[in-house]
Amino acid sequence: MLVDSDMFTGTACSRMPTELLLEIFMLLTPYQRTLHACVLTSRRWNHVATPVLWKRPQFSRLSSVELFAASLLTAHRLISPHGERTSPYVRLIETLAFSSLPEPDRNNPHLATLLDTIVNCMAVVSMPTCDASAWDGTQTSALALKRSRSLSRNDDATRPHSAAALPLPEGTEPELSDKHAARSSSGSELLAPQTVDDTQLHYAALSAPVAEMSASAPCYEPSSHSVPAYTSTLRQLDLRFCKGVRNYSLQRLAPKLASLTVLNLAGGLRTDITIAKLAQHMFQLRRISLAWTSNLTDFGVSELVQRCKSVECLDLTYCTQIEDTAMFAIAHNLRNLCALSVAYCAGVTDIGVREVVSACPQLCVLNVAKCLRVTDRMRKSLEQQRIVAQCDSFEPFSIYNFAKKQQAVFPKPS
C-alpha cells in the first residue's frame, strides 16, 4: 500500500479540520500520555488538545493525584499571590473522578487532603451571602418577641432551669433600653444582641415595642458579617467507594462544590448529616448516586430532595433503610425526575412506588429489582406505562442511560 508522504508533513496536519482533531483527541482521553504527546506536537494541536487534556484528568494511582494537586497549588501560588484564580488551566477542569484508583488508594485518608487542595485551587469567591448569625433588626425583634412569649409561660418558680427565673444583674434592663433609645435616634448601628441567651432576648423584647425596634433597624451591610459564596468550573465529581474522603471533609468542602451537576457518592459510608450539608449548597445538581449507603435513611433523602429540586436521576440502590417516607418526599419535590433506582430496598412498597409514578410525569426508569414488598401486579403496571422496572444499576448512572434510551423510543409528554 502506497502512502502519500505529504500527509505527514506540517502542511498536511495544518489542513486537517479542527472538528476532526477534536474528535480524535476526545477518543484519546483515557490515554493521558498519548494526549500529552499530542499537546507537544505543534501550536495548533496544543490549542485543540489542551482543553481535552485538562477537562477530565485521569488518575491511575494516588501518586498521580499528588502530582496533579502539587502542580495546581504551585500555579495558584505563583500566578495569583493574592488568592485570586487566574491560572487558565484550572478553568478547564470540569470532571474529577477518583473511582478508578486502587482500593488502598481510595481508602487512604491522604486522598481527602488532596481533594481539599484541588477544590480550593479551583474555587473562586463570588458575591457574599448573609450569615445566619448576622440578623437584621426585624428578624431579631421578631425572634425576641417569639422567645419572650415562650419564656413567659416558664415563670414558675418551680422551674429552676427557666431563663425567666434567673436573677438579672443590676442595671440590665435600663442598659438595654438606653442602647435602644440611642440607636433609634441615630439609626447608624445594627440592632442585634451580642449574645442570644434567653435572658437578654426576654428583656430586650420587653424594653421597647416591636414596631419601634423594626423601624429603627438600619440596612444590613454584608461586608462585616458574611459568608463567601464560591463558583467553580467543576461540574462532575466521582467519589465512588472512596472511603478515604471522610464525611467531615465533604461537609467542609460543601460551599465550594456548589457548581456540581453530577455527584457520585456510592459506597462511601455517607450519613444523613453529610447529605443534608451538601444539599444546602448544590442547587444545580442533576444526577446523584448514593447507592450502597447503608447509613442513609429517609431523613437524608428528604433533606436532599427538598433542596435539590432539579435532580433528574437518583440512585438509591441497596440503601436498605429507605422506606415509603423517602418515596413520598421524592414524589412531592422531584417533578423532573426521569430515573430512580431503589433496588434491594426492602422497605419500599407498592404505595411509595405508586406515589412516585403518579407525581413524576417524566419518569422512564424505576428500578425496583429485589424489592420484596413490591408486588408483581405493580411491576406489570409499570411495564404497561412503559416504565422500566428492572435494569442493571451497578455501573454509575446506568439508570440514566436507560432513561434516555427509553425517552428516545417512547417520548414523554412535556
Side-chain angles (χ1 to χ4, degrees), residues 278-285 303-311 333-334:
L278 292 172
Q280 292 179 4
H281 304 275
M282 298 182 181
F283 302 107
Q284 305 179 30
L285 203 60
E303 288 292 317
L304 173 66
V305 300
Q306 287 176 12
R307 298 180 182 273
C308 305
K309 295 181 179 293
S310 301
V311 171
N333 292 279
L334 302 184

Side-chain angles (χ1 to χ4, degrees), residues 220-345:
Y220 168 65
E221 299 180 359
S223 59
S224 58
H225 301 281
S226 60
V227 174
Y230 297 91
T231 58
S232 174
T233 58
L234 186 62
R235 296 294 179 265
Q236 301 184 24
L237 179 61
D238 186 1
L239 294 175
R240 183 164 39 114
F241 292 97
C242 293
K243 299 179 182 179
V245 181
R246 307 297 183 184
N247 289 323
Y248 64 86
S249 300
L250 279 178
Q251 295 177 26
R252 186 175 63 252
L253 288 176
K256 300 179 182 180
L257 298 176
S259 60
L260 287 180
T261 58
V262 179
L263 178 62
N264 193 343
L265 297 177
L269 301 178
R270 309 307 170 192
T271 61
D272 292 338
I273 301 301
T274 302
I275 301 303
K277 182 66 174 179
L278 292 172
Q280 292 179 4
H281 304 275
M282 298 182 181
F283 302 107
Q284 305 179 30
L285 203 60
R286 296 294 184 271
R287 288 179 282 166
I288 180 171
S289 175
L290 300 172
W292 307 92
T293 307
S294 58
N295 297 331
L296 187 66
T297 66
D298 294 342
F299 171 76
V301 176
S302 300
E303 288 292 317
L304 173 66
V305 300
Q306 287 176 12
R307 298 180 182 273
C308 305
K309 295 181 179 293
S310 301
V311 171
E312 300 175 353
C313 176
L314 179 59
D315 191 354
L316 301 175
T317 302
Y318 213 86
C319 295
T320 55
Q321 300 190 46
I322 298 299
E323 297 180 353
D324 284 341
T325 303
M327 299 292 284
F328 272 81
I330 293 172
H332 294 164
N333 292 279
L334 302 184
R335 300 299 180 181
N336 298 325
L337 187 68
C338 65
L340 172 64
S341 176
V342 289
Y344 299 91
C345 297

Side-chain angles (χ1 to χ4, degrees), residues 155-172:
D155 289 338
D156 188 4
T158 60
R159 302 282 299 276
H161 60 276
S162 175
L166 296 176
L168 282 177
E170 295 182 1
T172 301

Side-chain angles (χ1 to χ4, degrees), residues 128-143:
T129 56
C130 297
D131 190 358
S133 61
W135 300 332
D136 58 9
T138 304
Q139 294 171 329
T140 303
S141 60
L143 177 61

